Amino acid sequence: MSSNVLLNVNGIEVIYNHVILVLKGVSLQVKEGGIVALLGGNGAGKTTTLRAVSNLLAGERGEVTKGSIELRGERIEKLTTSDMVERGVIQVMEGRHCFAHLSIEENLLTGAYTRKDGKAAVAATLEKVYNYFPRLKTRRTSQAAYTSGGEQQMCAIGRALMANPKMVLLDEPSMGLAPQIVEEVFEIVKDLNAKEGTTFLLAEQNTNMALRYADYGYILESGRVVMDGEAKALRENEDVKEFYLGVG
Ligand code: ATP
C-alpha cells in the first residue's frame, strides 16, 4: 500500500439490527488530497459505507462485523463519531440537516464546536468559508428554513469545513438540486480540494457529475464493489456508459 493512502477500507461487512447484511465485503482506498466517488443506485450501500467510515453506524443500529478500516494506518472501526471528528473526518449527511431555526451563520458556527484554538481562529475559518461560498455570506442572517435547497447544501458543507477537516464525506450532495446549483457545489468542492488540500469521499447517484469532478470512482451494487477505476476510464467504459450514464 502506498504511503499517501489516507483511508483504507478493507473487506468490510456491515449488518443492521443484527440480521440485515448490507455491505458484503467492501474495499476501497482514498489517497490524501483525492476526490473519490462512491457510485451506485438506490440502496447499493453508499450511505452505509460512509457511515462505517465516520462511525455513525451505531446510531442506526448497524455495525462493522468483518474487515477493517484504517485512517493513516490506524484502525478506526471501534472509535466514536467524535473521535473521527477529532481526527479530521467529517460527514455531511444526505438531506443536508441544517438547523432550520438557526441562521446560516449560527449553523456554520455549530461546526466549530470541537475546536480549541480560540475565537479568532474560528472567525478566520468563517471568513474562509464565506470566500468559498459567497452566497452564504449574503444569506448569513437568514434563518436556514427560509433558504433554498442549494444554500442549505452549501451551509451543510460550510459547517463541516468549520471543523478544519482533513477529509469530508459527502453524501449525495446533488440530491434535489437544480443542475446549475449541482455544478456550483461541485466547482466549490474542486476548489477546496485544490486550494486547501481537503480530501473528499463522495457518495453520488449522479454518476455523470461525480465522474467529472472525482479522480477515482468505485461502483457499488447490492453491497459489493463491482467496478473501480480512474474517473476518466470509468467515464469511457461501455458498461458504465450504458448502465450509469444513460448513454449506450
Ligand atoms: P440511497 O441513495 O437510497 O441512500 P445507498 O446506496 O446510500 O442508497 P444505503 O442507504 O447504504 O444505500 O442502504 C443500503 C441498504 O441498507 C438498503 O437496503 C437500506 O434499506 C438498508 N439500510 C440502510 N439504513 C438502514 C438502517 N438504519 N436499518 C436497516 N437497514 C438499513
Side-chain angles (χ1 to χ4, degrees):
M1 189 171 80
S2 77
S3 60
N4 66 346
V5 172
L6 179 61
L7 177 73
N8 186 26
V9 176
N10 186 20
I12 58 166
E13 280 189 8
V14 169
I15 295 185
Y16 285 113
N17 295 316
H18 305 295
V19 285
I20 311 164
L21 177 64
V22 167
L23 297 190
K24 302 159 186 163
V26 168
S27 297
L28 62 87
Q29 291 193 336
V30 180
K31 288 188 180 164
E32 193 111 38
I35 303 181
V36 172
L38 202 51
L39 307 163
N42 255 336
K46 305 180 296 298
T47 299
T48 301
T49 305
L50 297 190
R51 282 181 189 149
V53 173
S54 57
N55 276 294
L56 277 167
L57 278 175
E60 301 289 330
R61 295 178 51 83
E63 58 178 327
V64 176
T65 49
K66 264 194 199 157
S68 63
I69 308 175
E70 288 166 23
L71 186 75
R72 288 191 201 88
E74 179 196 11
R75 292 282 292 262
I76 58 167
E77 60 283 8
K78 300 273 186 263
L79 301 185
T80 64
T81 310
S82 50
D83 290 332
M84 295 311 293
V85 173
E86 255 174 47
R87 282 161 180 74
V89 178
I90 312 268
Q91 180 160 347
V92 177
M93 283 187 253
E94 185 177 339
R96 303 185 270 280
H97 295 287
C98 287
F99 298 111
H101 60 289
L102 297 183
S103 70
I104 291 289
E105 185 151 306
E106 286 164 342
N107 263 286
L108 292 175
L109 289 172
T110 62
Y113 76 102
T114 53
R115 287 178 56 173
K116 298 176 179 74
D117 51 352
K119 277 188 175 169
V122 170
T125 309
L126 184 64
E127 269 322 298
K128 195 167 77 179
V129 169
Y130 283 145
N131 281 336
Y132 281 101
F133 298 95
R135 270 170 184 263
L136 294 183
K137 189 164 190 171
T138 316
R139 306 285 267 143
R140 66 202 297 171
T141 58
S142 305
Q143 204 177 319
Y146 299 112
T147 61
S148 69
E151 286 160 351
Q152 287 183 34
Q153 180 64 74
M154 290 177 193
C155 180
I157 299 173
R159 189 173 57 191
L161 296 177
M162 289 300 297
N164 271 338
K166 277 301 296 169
M167 175 160 69
V168 177
L169 310 175
L170 266 186
D171 199 355
E172 303 257 0
S174 76
M175 198 178 62
L177 302 183
Q180 194 192 330
I181 305 293
V182 174
E183 184 126 20
E184 204 178 313
V185 169
F186 273 93
E187 280 294 329
I188 296 168
V189 164
K190 191 172 128 191
D191 227 24
L192 282 161
N193 173 259
K195 294 184 186 148
E196 309 292 328
T198 314
T199 302
F200 285 90
L201 174 59
L202 56 97
E204 256 306 339
Q205 288 200 39
N206 188 336
T207 309
N208 187 26
M209 191 63 83
L211 288 180
R212 273 176 50 205
Y213 288 90
D215 30 60
Y216 203 88
Y218 291 86
I219 301 181
L220 280 179
E221 265 178 33
S222 305
R224 289 193 172 88
V225 175
V226 292
M227 201 185 293
D228 68 290
E230 302 287 336
K232 187 170 181 294
L234 288 180
R235 274 200 316 267
E236 287 162 6
N237 179 288
E238 292 305 322
D239 288 339
V240 176
K241 278 190 198 168
E242 185 175 347
F243 297 112
Y244 295 98
L245 295 173
V247 284

